[in-house]
Amino acid sequence: DGGITQSPKYLFRKEGQNVTLSCEQNLNHDAMYWYRQDPGQGLRLIYYSQIVNDFQKGDIAEGYSVSREKKESFPLTVTSAQKNPTAFYLCASSSSHGGTGELFFGEGSRLTVL
Amino acid sequence: AQSVSQHNHHVILSEAASLELGCNYSYGGTVNLFWYVQYPGQHLQLLLKYFSGDPLVKGIKGFEAEFIKSKFSFNLRKPSVQWSDTAEYFCAVYNDKLIFGTGTRLQVFP
């Protein structure tokens, strides 16, 4: 089945630790996105990539980093510089370079910082 | 910067009631408009979309939305809600990236 796989589903980390969230898609989509979802704030864009080896900052990129070495993979690293990392993280992809906005989402990763 | 406003944060309805969720955006150029839905325990999925043409668009499960360009609005409607419509609904606007509103939590009681 085609789709987007995020792992892990739940993750706990101690303050000061970096953590990497995985996102893999087998939809052959060019563009991939990372959003953060917090109650009452909707989804906020962290980073996006429209093509391999290229990515752009979204609205809340500080404290996060990404890479796009392969078309099907777009991992997100939450660094110790992110002041409020506890959140639900959603990865998405879309089919066309340049995009239309029609995104397909993974099931999300819930990160809790202890 | 473009932004999306959803004025209803939490809506509670009885089954068979009519629904209208407001969505306004701030961007003067051409945009694509979306409503996404997140059912409890499920991933976010597309409900309906508007790119161009007829400003009244129909989506899945009896939902529809009307694009009113002069009001920068894209309100979601359903004439008669069901318990299974309980979910969180997000309006979104796409220009070169997809920007979401803060979401509306809909609870439908039998």
Side-chain angles (χ1 to χ4, degrees):
Chain A
D1 280 306
I4 299 175
T5 302
Q6 289 187 240
S7 63
K9 198 168 182 177
Y10 299 96
L11 185 61
F12 298 86
R13 80 152 213 225
K14 294 181 180 178
E15 277 191 27
Q17 290 180 332
N18 291 357
V19 62
T20 297
L21 306 180
S22 169
C23 178
E24 303 277 330
Q25 54 100 356
N26 60 4
L27 300 167
N28 199 32
H29 285 172
D30 289 313
M32 297 186 74
Y33 308 80
W34 274 104
Y35 286 89
R36 170 181 170 140
Q37 186 176 8
D38 296 282
Q41 298 194 58
L43 279 74
R44 292 180 290 167
L45 183 62
I46 304 173
Y47 268 98
Y48 62 108
S49 167
Q50 294 181 325
I51 199 165
V52 174
N53 291 323
D54 188 39
F55 49 82
Q56 289 78 40
K57 292 182 179 180
D59 299 317
I60 55 164
E62 186 176 348
Y64 299 98
S65 65
V66 294
S67 63
R68 187 86 187 276
E69 297 175 3
K70 298 186 295 182
K71 185 175 184 177
E72 58 270 22
S73 179
F74 191 41
L76 173 74
T77 297
V78 185
T79 75
S80 56
Q82 167 50 232
K83 297 200 180 340
N84 187 20
T86 294
F88 189 55
Y89 292 89
L90 285 167
C91 180
S93 69
S94 66
S95 59
S96 53
H97 176 51
T100 62
E102 185 171 351
L103 270 54
F104 294 82
F105 284 86
E107 294 191 345
S109 294
R110 187 169 296 280
L111 172 64
T112 302
V113 175
L114 305 172
Chain B
Q2 63 191 55
S3 64
V4 181
S5 298
Q6 291 182 244
H7 306 295
N8 316 102
H9 299 294
H10 190 190
V11 174
I12 301 173
L13 295 172
S14 299
E15 275 193 320
S18 64
L19 170 72
E20 181 160 2
L21 301 182
C23 173
N24 289 89
Y25 65 95
S26 63
Y27 184 73
T30 301
V31 294
N32 295 340
L33 298 162
F34 302 84
W35 278 94
Y36 283 84
V37 60
Q38 191 172 36
Y39 296 103
Q42 296 188 28
H43 62 272
L44 205 63
Q45 58 188 284
L46 182 68
L47 190 61
L48 50 76
K49 61 188 178 186
Y50 173 79
F51 291 175
S52 64
D54 188 344
L56 184 63
V57 293
K58 296 193 184 297
I60 60 172
K61 302 187 180 184
F63 285 91
E64 64 179 32
E66 185 175 12
F67 169 52
I68 303 179
K69 190 173 181 180
S70 60
K71 294 185 178 180
F72 297 91
S73 70
F74 191 55
N75 292 355
L76 181 71
R77 300 194 292 248
K78 185 171 183 178
S80 176
V81 295
Q82 300 173 310
W83 175 79
S84 59
D85 293 325
T86 294
E88 190 153 18
Y89 293 81
F90 295 92
C91 181
V93 172
Y94 181 85
N95 177 250
D96 66 342
K97 55 187 177 182
L98 190 64
I99 302 298
F100 285 85
T102 53
T104 298
R105 184 176 170 217
L106 172 65
Q107 283 184 289
V108 180
F109 288 95

